[in-house]
Each structure stands twice: as C-alpha cells, then as structure tokens.
C-alpha cells in the first residue's frame, strides 16, 4: 500500500511539472484599420503546432516552456504573412497588412493554379464571401449579375428552374452554347435532357447543376478568352467555369452551422378582368352566346354558380427551410472536411414544392514529402412535387401557370361530354388537385487524385473524375380532372440515367533561372466518356385509377413509348507553357489536340492553340516609384477553341422508323432521313482579347477592362438537302458568327475607418453578335414547337442570333379606312408600298433578344459588428416576344383577358389605335407581341450582426452571426408579363415567352454559429 501511494505521488509530481512546463500565448490579430481578423492561421514555424483566430480576431494556445527562440507565423488570405520571434511573451498582438494588390492570391485555371498577378488571360473570380451574401439556395442565382461578360438568366421563378449561361455572346446555331463546368476537376457539360420530362403540356426544365450547395463553394473562376480556355480545346469555345469547393485546414476540428427560414411571395400578378366583367365581355364579343345564355335563349342565372380569381386562390406565401453544417479540421499530414445540407422550399403555387439534400466529403493526405493524394465526393438528391411548372407546348395545352391567368372564371356544372373533353372549361385548381406529378433527380460528383514529386520542380498528377446522375418523372391525370377526363386517366413515366468520367494525367515542370527567368511547363493526356440512357411510357384508359403511375400495366392503351441511348468518347493531348521574364513580361502558350467519335474519319481530330502576353508596367523603372500605382498590367491574347456539342455519330447516314402502305394497311419499315458526311469537322472559334488591370491607392481602387472579338467558323448546321438525294437533311459546316464586346469591372474602397468601411463593386458588359455567313442561304427559320405562334424569328445573315421576325404593327383599322378592312382589326405596315400585305415582302426584323448591356452594382457597409449590403442587377435593350399576349388578348372566347386589353380594345365608341376589337387578335408574328424587357432589379439586400466573443466566453462557441436577407425585392420594368427575365429553351430566340412560372420575392432570416 505504501509503495502504491509513493508511485502515485511521484506520478502526480511529474504531471504537475509537465503542466507547469506549458505556457499560454494569447492575443488579437487586426488589420491596419483596427478590425479583428477571423480565421488567421498561427503556427510555430516548421511545425504543425498552432491555432486560428475566432470571429473577433482573438486566439489562445499553449506552448512548451522549453520552446525558446521559436518563430510564430501569422498568415491570412489577402494579407502579408508575418513572423514574430517568441521569447516567452504571454500576449502577442499582431497587425497584418494587405498583400500588395492581392496579387499573391491563388486563382484556379485549367489543370492548375496561378498567382493572380501572373494571369495573362481574361479570368474573373468570385469568392465565397460574395456568394454567401445572397442567401439564395441556387448557386448561379447567387452570382447572377456579378461577373462582367457573363449573362446568367433563370428560365422562370420555379424552385430549381434551369439557368441559361452565356459568356461573351452566342457562338453556335445548332451546337450547345453552354460553357463547360469543371467542379473539383470533374468536367460536366450542362445537358438539359438529363432531366426527365413528360413532354405533355408545360415542360419543366430543371437545372442539372441545382444540386450544388452555395455554402459549399470556395471560389468560382470564369475563363473567358481563348488563352485561358484553349487548354480545354473543343470544350472551351463557350467559356469555362471552374468551381472549387471548400476543403479542410490544419488545426482543431471546427464546426460551422447555418440555419435559416424564409418566406416567398409572387412579385407580381397579371391583372385580369373580374367574373362579372367577363360576362359583359362574352356578351359584347358574341351576343346571345351559349355561355351567357341557355339553349332556349334566356339569360343564364349566375347567382348560384361559383366564380373564381384563380391567381388569388392558387398563389400563396411559400415557406423555405434551409440548414447547412460543415466540419473541418486536420492533423499534421491530413486535412479534411464534411458538409451536409437540407433545403425544403414551397413554390408560390399551391401544392408545388421543392426539396434538396446535399452531402460532401473532402480530404487531402500528404503521405511523404513527395507524395500527396486526395479525394472529393459530393452527392445530392432533389425532388419536385406538383403539376405546376414552367414553359408551354407539347401535345396538349395543360399548363397550370397559363390557366391561372386565362381560365374561364366561372365554374359551370352542366357541361356536356364534348365540353368536358375540351380546353374551354379547364380549371387550374382541377389540374393542381386532381393531377399528380413528381420529379426526382440525383447527381454524384467525385474525383480521386494523386501527386508525386519526381524531382525538384518536376511533378506528376493523375486525376479520375466522374459524374453520375439519375432522373425519374411520374405524372398522372385521373379521369376526375378536366384534363385527364378525355383520356379516362393518363399516366406518364420517364427515366433517364447518365454517367461520365474524365481521366487525366499531367506532368508539370517549374524552374527559375538566374533570378530573371521563370518557366512552368505542363503536359497531359486525357480520356473522356459520356453515356445517357432513357425510356418513357405514355399510357391512357385506366379502368382502375387507384394506383396511378405505380402500376401502369392497368392502362389499356399505349399512347406512346420508347427508349434511347447516347454514347460519346473523346481523347485529348494538351500542353501549356508559362514564362516570366524579370517579373515584368509574362507569356502563355496553350495547345490541345482532341479526337472525337462525333466526326468522321477525315476530320476526327481537331487542333486548338492559344497564346497571351502580359506586361506588368508598374514594375518598370519609370513607374515603380509611383506609390499610388500598385498594379498596371496590359494583357493581349489570341487563340482558337472548338465546339463539338452535336448529337453523336452525325457524320453517318441515319434511318428512321416509317410506315409503308400495303393492301392490308400499313407495314413498318425504315427510310433515309439524314445523309452522312465524312468531312464533317469542328466548329472553330478564333478570339482576340486586349485587357487592362489597374490597382491604385494601396489597392483601394481596382479596375479591369477587356475588349474582345470572336469569330466562329465552320458552324455545325443540320441543313436541308434536295429531295432527289433521297434524304431530308445533312449535317454540314456552313457559315460563321462574330461576337464583339467590352467588359468593365471596378472595385473601390470608398471609406476605410477603424469602425466603418464602405466598398463598391461595379461591372458592365456589352456584346454585339452578328451572323456573317450561312453558306448558300440567307436565313434559317426559328421554330418554337408546341402551338400558338411557332415561327417568331429567324437567323439572318448580317443580324444577331436571337432576332424576332414578322409584320410591323401599325395600329388598328378604323371605320371608313381606305384599305377596305374590317374596323377593329390589326393593321400592318406595307413595307414595299405595293398596297398588299404579304409574308414575302412585308415582314422584317421586329425585335432582338440580346441586351445592349448588362451589369450589376454592389455596395457593402460595415460598422463595428454590423454589415449591410445591397446589390442591383440590370439588363437594358433586350426584347421579349410575349406570345402569352395572344391568349390574354382573347384569341378564343373561353379565355379570360387582361384589364389593359379590356379597357383599350377597339369599339365604335372607343376608336383605340393600340388594341384590336374583341376577337380580332391575330395569331401571326408581329411587333404587336414584342415588348421591351429592360429591367433594373434590387436583387439582394443583406443585413447581419456579429456577436462579440465575450458573450460566449463560458461556452465553446467561437462566434454567432444573425442575418436577414431579401432577394428580388424590387423590379423596375415596363414588361407586362410576370417578370422580364425570360429565357426560353431555344438558343436562337431566348426572349420568347408563353407564360413562365411567377418569380418570387424572398425574405430570409437565419443564424450562423461557429464552434
């Protein structure tokens, strides 16, 4: 017993000695204006011992008492790293200064990274701080309007709706115009057909990349000129967007949790006439009609018949719940992070909802001095419920959004079978309540990479990236619904599965010679494969409708069915040379060779190259002593990129199903459709860029200016061929398109005081698009399927892609007109003066989808622990062909009309010259339907408060931030539809609308906790 107690006493003494052998170091890290800096890394030099600062810039950690003459290293992104000698101090306060012009920031480029100051091409970067400001659940909605030269347009206000990207104008006519996305090294082309759609009535187009959580993003880089994108060769013609997600950091395990709740309301309702006014309208339009009157001619008694304001009944205030948690940390050799997110969002239309679940894992491990490897894995699942969706068209007109505006406001009960089977009395509430629609989509993105240092300055890297997606649509309209009644129940089922992978191997060599020459060489080889498979069933006539889409075998009639598969492969070689001379003159050269199975043996390989030069003039002797100039860099670049985004195997002849007449009926067979073309080759875009980067007054004013000119040649066009060839069309290389524009970005620190800062970020960009040549034709018609007006535009030589084409509205024919026309009908301008209005001679360009300029301005104010920012976005000079006006102006009598048309329609007593008489709107393309869609939108307002650490000194919480954010708060526009931001599925006329899901105004409140 005595021996045991003695041992215990000895161990206790040693423990106390060990404790006394440690000392604490504490302090606060601030910038030069006295603001605390959160997240500053403090390490003992040449060790992994250290910590990081809290939200107020405070830190505290223990060191060994025998650690003499140690060096403490304080580092922070955007600041100059400081080293402080430790000689036993208990408190060390440090002030960090900003890095000169922030030129040492690391920017991600193709297959590597560079310092911001070494960039020679046109590259824009958005960091996570700006993305977080908007608090929107959609990543690309968060960066909309914030990057010069990048025009981002959401197709509608539907939760999860698809977003259209356009970087420096439209290059292609039939090839996809979407940029290439590279997410943590995984290359993804946005393919809208990866999302299952029934194709019936309104067609939903969801964003295939909506699965990305904005909270996960570290940075977004946009590569715009040929010098920056040529490294991606045939995939870089439309620009490249590099997305980097957050990773772990060495240090203790840290948790970050954000929770918010929000409310969404429609930004606008379409003003239609009341039920009582509708009765007057119907009688004025057609006296004695069967709707207002019974069969015996007596007036119908509407006293006990229900009436509706469909928009008031179907539009609501929706609820948004959003939660996100991350865990980051690291040891001496390994850093890691894990995140999880959950979003549940109600649409502004009843029974429409959207939910999203995200999970990501990321780790980097350094096995030795020469070997490092890591992996990224993110997966997400989304689900949309409800039959309300965007768009219009298909084989039937059943769009909920459309009928909220134009549906007959009276609910007649004594309808005949023929009337029940027609669209005349469709109820949007019947579609909503009696219809069932569920759309599921999941995507998993993963990459695995390893780096090995072969020798000093020589490094090998292998990366395997993959994307796997699945989408399933289930839609059922029972016979109890007005739409499903005609089919005795209708079920639609579609499923689409995809996978792709890219496997790249690169070798990099870095060398610096004689302190004057710096060389970086990159070489690589890459393999890529894409596979898409889908099937669909369209079944009608369900005697038993209890199971709906869960057992389609009950349906007795196969209305439509089918399956399809798409496979494409690519092999590539690429290289890049970066050379610096005296840190003043920067040179970049890129080369890539791509081989694709989309082209025939004569042109299977395409070769693309680019080069850039940058002059850092501020380092010259005649400028380097001017303290006010922190950076003055001139950039020039020139190069070629390609485009191959057309259906696979288009170089080969194609046969399609057909039926041949016989004595007994029809026999199934095959017939020629498209002729083969072994000489088919890549579209090629040649781009010149001249840029200027300026930073002044200790980096308080930063300016970037770019001028560019792009010429795309050998356009890939599915051109018609003479009938005697036996084919309908053939893919050919015909024509060229030019884009020219200017971009300007300005960032200023207007006020910088110890307790108050005001920053402004402004950008504006222009683009002029022009079709230079279309081969042996002067124009290509722009066709929009799905009924109503289907030919609203043309692609015309000498004009931009996206123009509208038709008759010029010239007022309304009045009584006693010299043309002998019926009073109250639309008059069109006689362009050739021959006295006759005809399609061949009197149609012309009537509108343009392309804006003259777009941009945004953000102001951020910080006062002590308060932060306020507001962001305006605009688009100016673009038109929208509002085909919805055809219906709201009374194309058919059973449709409701807008109050504007009701008040201004021509009558003998009201000789209007702006709107025709009831029943006289014409379903032909004309400027009557073209509207100016310019707008200025207060896009985001964000207010937050950061609690001081002293509130939580007794609990393990590093900081708490409360925030309130509003999106789409105000929109200033003259457009008559729900919202002027319109983007159709047709890249040849983006400004075309039949009816879009109403955009919503969102107010969000939340808290961010770090512990």
């Amino acid at each position: 017993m005595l021996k045991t107690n003695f041992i215990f006493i000895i161990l206790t003494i040693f423990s106390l000695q060990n404790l006394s052998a440690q000392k604490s170091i504490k302090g606060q890290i601030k910038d030069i204006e006295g603001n605390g800096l959160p997240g500053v890394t403090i390490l003992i030099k040449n060790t992994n011992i250290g910590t990081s600062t809290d939200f107020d810039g405070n830190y505290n950690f223990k060191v060994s008492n025998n650690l003499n003459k140690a060096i403490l290293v304080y580092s922070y992104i955007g600041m100059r790293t400081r080293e402080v000698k430790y000689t036993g101090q208990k408190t060390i306060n440090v002030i960090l200064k900003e890095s000169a012009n922030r030129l040492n920031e690391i920017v991600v480029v193709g297959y590597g990274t560079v310092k911001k100051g070494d960039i020679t091409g046109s590259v824009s970067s958005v960091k996570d701080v700006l993305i977080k400001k908007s608090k929107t659940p959609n990543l690309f909605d968060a960066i909309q309007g914030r990057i010069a030269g990048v025009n981002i347009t959401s197709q509608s206000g539907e939760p999860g709706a698809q977003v259209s990207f356009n970087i420096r104008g439209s290059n292609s006519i039939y090839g996809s115009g979407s940029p290439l996305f590279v997410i943590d090294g995984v290359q993804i082309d946005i393919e809208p057909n990866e999302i299952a759609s029934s194709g019936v009535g309104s067609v939903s187009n969801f964003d295939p990349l909506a699965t990305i959580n904005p909270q996960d993003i570290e940075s977004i880089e946009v590569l715009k000129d040929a010098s920056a994108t040529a490294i991606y060769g045939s995939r870089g013609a439309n620009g490249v967007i590099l997305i980097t997600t957050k990773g772990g950091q060495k240090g203790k395990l840290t948790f970050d949790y954000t929770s918010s709740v929000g409310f969404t309301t429609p930004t606008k309702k379409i003003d239609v006439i009341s039920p009582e006014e509708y009765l007057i309208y119907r009688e004025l339009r057609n006296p004695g009609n069967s709707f207002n009157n019974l069969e015996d001619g007596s007036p119908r008694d509407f006293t006990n018949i229900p009436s509706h304001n469909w928009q008031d009944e179907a539009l609501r205030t929706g609820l948004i719940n959003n939660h996100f948690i991350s865990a980051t940390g690291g040891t001496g050799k390994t850093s890691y992070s894990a995140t999880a997110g959950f979003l549940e969002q109600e649409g502004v239309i009843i029974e429409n909802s959207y939910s999203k679940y995200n999970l990501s894992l990321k780790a980097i491990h350094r096995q030795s001095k020469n070997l490092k490897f890591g992996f990224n894995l993110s997966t997400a699942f989304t689900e949309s419920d409800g039959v309300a969706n965007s768009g219009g068209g298909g084989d039937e007109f059943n769009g909920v959004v459309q009928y909220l505006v134009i549906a007959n406001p009276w609910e007649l009960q004594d309808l005949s079978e023929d009337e029940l089977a027609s669209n005349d009395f469709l109820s949007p509430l019947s579609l909503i309540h009696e219809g069932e629609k569920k759309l599921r989509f999941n995507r998993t993105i993963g990459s695995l990479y390893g780096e090995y240092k072969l020798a000093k300055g020589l490094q090998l890297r292998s990366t395997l990236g993959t994307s796997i997606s699945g989408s399933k649509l289930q839609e059922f309209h029972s016979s109890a619904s007005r739409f499903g009644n005609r089919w005795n129940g209708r079920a639609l089922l579609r499923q689409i599965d995809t996978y792709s992978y890219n496997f790249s191997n690169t070798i990099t060599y870095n060398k610096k010679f004689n302190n004057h020459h710096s060389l970086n060489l990159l070489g690589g080889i890459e393999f890529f494969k894409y596979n898409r498979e889908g099937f669909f069933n369209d079944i009608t006539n369900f005697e038993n409708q209890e199971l709906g889409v869960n057992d389609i075998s009950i349906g007795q009639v196969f209305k439509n069915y089918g399956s399809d598969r798409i496979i494409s492969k690519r092999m590539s070689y690429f290289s890049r040379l970066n050379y610096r001379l005296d840190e003043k003159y920067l040179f970049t050269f890129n080369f890539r060779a791509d081989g694709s199975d989309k082209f025939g043996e004569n042109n299977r390989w395409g070769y693309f190259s680019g080069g850039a030069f940058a002059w850092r003039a501020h380092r010259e002797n005649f400028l380097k002593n001017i303290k006010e100039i922190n950076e003055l860099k001139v950039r020039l670049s020139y190069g070629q990129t390609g485009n191959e985004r057309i259906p696979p195997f288009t170089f080969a002849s194609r046969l399609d199903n057909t039926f041949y007449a016989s004595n007994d009926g029809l026999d199934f067979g095959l017939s020629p459709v498209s002729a083969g073309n072994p000489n088919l080759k890549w579209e090629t875009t040649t781009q010149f860029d001249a840029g200027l980067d300026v930073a002044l007054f200790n980096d308080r004013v930063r300016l970037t200016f770019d001028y560019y000119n792009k010429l795309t040649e050998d356009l890939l066009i599915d051109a018609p061929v003479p009938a005697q060839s036996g084919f309908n069309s053939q893919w050919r290389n015909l024509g060229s398109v030019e884009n020219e524009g200017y971009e300007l970005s300005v960032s200023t620190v207007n006020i910088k005081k110890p307790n108050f800062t005001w920053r402004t970020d402004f950008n504006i960009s222009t683009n002029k698009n022009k079709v230079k040549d279309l081969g042996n034709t002067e124009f290509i018609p722009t066709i929009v399927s799905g009924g109503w007006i289907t030919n609203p535009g043309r692609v015309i030589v000498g004009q931009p892609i996206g123009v509208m084409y038709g008759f010029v509205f010239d007022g309304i024919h009045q009584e006693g007109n010299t043309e002998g026309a019926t009073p109250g009908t639309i008059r069109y301008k006689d362009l050739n003066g021959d006295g006759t209005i005809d399609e061949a001679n009197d149609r012309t360009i009537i509108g343009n989808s392309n804006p003259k300029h777009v941009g945004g301005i953000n102001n951020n104010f910080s006062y002590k622990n308060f932060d306020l920012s507001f962001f305006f976005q605009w688009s100016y000079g673009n038109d929208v062909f509002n085909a919805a006006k055809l219906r709201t102006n009374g194309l058919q009598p059973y449709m409701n009309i807008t109050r504007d048309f009701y008040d201004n329609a021509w009558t003998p007593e009201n000789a209007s010259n702006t709107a025709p008489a009831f029943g006289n709107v014409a379903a032909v393309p004309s400027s009557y339907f073209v509207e100016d869609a310019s707008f200025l939108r207060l896009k985001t307002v964000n207010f937050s408060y950061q609690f001081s650490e002293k509130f939580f000194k007794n609990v393990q919480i590093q900081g708490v931030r409360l925030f309130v954010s509003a999106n789409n708060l105000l929109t200033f526009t003259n457009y008559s539809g729900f919202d002027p931001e319109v983007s159709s599925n047709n890249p040849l006329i983006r400004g075309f609308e039949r009816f879009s899901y109403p955009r919503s105004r969102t107010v969000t409140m939340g808290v961010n906790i770090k512990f």
Side-chain angles (χ1 to χ4, degrees), residues 658-846:
T658 191
F659 292 89
Y660 298 92
S662 68
N663 294 333
D664 299 327
L666 295 175
D667 292 334
F668 174 78
L670 297 173
S671 65
V673 175
S674 180
N677 183 0
N679 296 315
L680 194 68
K681 60 182 179 181
W682 315 73
E683 287 184 353
T684 302
T685 298
T686 304
Q687 182 174 183
F688 168 77
D689 184 280
L692 180 69
D693 299 324
V694 180
L696 305 171
F697 312 117
N698 197 25
D699 213 22
R700 290 186 60 169
V701 176
R702 300 195 305 275
L703 178 150
T704 297
F705 173 81
D706 280 272
Y707 162 80
Y708 63 87
N709 182 279
K710 296 195 300 180
L711 179 64
T712 304
E713 299 175 288
D714 296 322
L715 297 179
L716 291 163
I717 295 177
D718 190 13
V721 297
Q724 58 266 30
S725 68
F727 296 93
N728 297 329
S729 64
Q730 181 187 45
W731 280 93
R732 295 180 175 180
N733 295 103
L734 299 171
S736 59
V737 173
E738 183 183 45
N739 285 278
E740 182 182 36
Y742 300 88
E743 300 167 359
L744 175 66
S745 299
V746 181
S747 296
T748 61
V749 181
N750 308 310
I751 299 176
K752 194 170 186 180
K753 299 294 183 181
N755 290 322
F756 179 71
T757 304
W758 171 24
R759 300 175 183 267
T760 300
D761 297 289
F762 168 85
N763 77 85
I764 185 172
S765 55
T766 69
N767 182 76
K768 290 184 179 180
N769 179 274
K770 185 178 181 180
V771 179
K772 304 281 286 187
D773 180 39
L774 288 174
N776 56 1
T777 184
E778 288 298 312
F779 71 89
I780 296 173
T782 301
I783 304 300
V784 181
S785 61
W788 303 18
I789 298 174
T790 59
N791 58 334
R794 284 182 176 180
V795 179
I796 305 172
V797 175
Q799 298 295 329
I801 295 174
V803 296
M804 300 144 197
Y805 195 83
F807 295 106
V808 177
F809 174 72
D810 196 30
I812 306 300
H813 287 293
Q814 305 297 326
E815 291 182 333
N817 63 83
T818 58
E819 297 94 335
T822 302
T825 57
I826 292 177
R827 183 175 67 235
Y828 301 112
K829 187 171 290 188
D830 182 8
L831 297 182
N832 67 345
D834 64 357
T836 303
I837 303 297
D838 62 86
E839 291 192 358
N841 299 302
D842 294 309
R843 289 192 297 168
T844 188
I845 295 169
I846 55 177

Side-chain angles (χ1 to χ4, degrees), residues 88-116:
Q89 308 98 308
K90 293 182 179 180
T91 301
I92 302 177
N93 298 320
V94 174
I95 295 176
L96 296 182
K97 296 181 180 180
E98 292 185 2
S99 299
N101 310 316
R102 301 184 180 179
L103 300 183
N104 291 323
E105 286 186 15
I106 299 300
V107 176
V108 179
V109 294
Y111 303 97
T113 59
V114 297
K115 291 182 179 180
K116 188 173 183 180

Side-chain angles (χ1 to χ4, degrees), residues 489-491 537-542 552 555-560:
R490 184 175 182 180
N537 281 310
D538 186 351
I539 314 296
T540 64
N541 197 8
F542 284 76
I552 61 174
Q556 300 179 43
V557 178
F558 279 76
K559 190 175 186 296
N560 201 0

